[in-house]
Amino acid sequence: MSEELKDKTGETVTVEHDEARGAYVISDAAGTDAGRAFYLTGADGERIFHHTEVDEAFGGRGLSRVLVAQSLEGSREQGVTVVPVCPLFVTKLQQTGDDYLARGGQFRKAAGADIDLIKREA
């Protein structure tokens, strides 16, 4: 994830994987955390993305779109199966899932056990 990323305003942003927090974090050019895409690790090492948030101070910049795309890209690069529960991830994969699979990404629909894990752990 070393490519230069820009938001809708043309400002540079970065997305980093914070494995300890179970999240991908998007930051502005000054290094201020602007949002997070949280996941839980499932039994088979899958990433169950369950919640995405962007601070309202950064609203309207398209950061959630960048954050979701980079979270999927990072998961693809690491060979991790994605389980979308967060509506932003569900929508993104409905729109671009075939391309994601063609590039070597893996995902599956959430099951009851995934929802139960979120209720217990998140």
Side-chain angles (χ1 to χ4, degrees), residues 15-115:
V15 176
E16 299 292 331
H17 184 203
D18 184 346
E19 201 164 352
R21 287 172 53 191
Y24 280 82
V25 181
I26 191 165
S27 304
D28 67 5
T32 304
D33 285 1
R36 292 148 231 61
F38 292 101
Y39 66 86
L40 293 172
T41 302
D44 296 325
E46 300 168 320
R47 288 189 184 141
I48 305 167
F49 283 94
H50 61 91
H51 179 68
T52 303
E53 61 187 26
V54 172
D55 188 301
E56 63 185 50
F58 295 92
R61 293 174 54 177
L63 297 182
S64 62
R65 179 187 53 79
V66 175
L67 180 56
V68 169
Q70 291 301 302
S71 299
L72 289 170
E73 184 63 15
S75 297
R76 183 195 65 76
E77 287 174 355
Q78 294 175 351
V80 176
T81 298
V82 169
V83 182
V85 175
C86 169
L88 294 173
F89 280 83
V90 171
T91 299
K92 178 70 172 174
L93 287 168
Q94 285 173 342
Q95 295 170 345
T96 64
D98 290 342
D99 181 54
Y100 186 68
L101 292 172
R103 292 184 300 110
Q106 304 167 51
F107 72 95
R108 66 169 178 78
K109 290 185 178 182
D114 302 314
I115 305 303

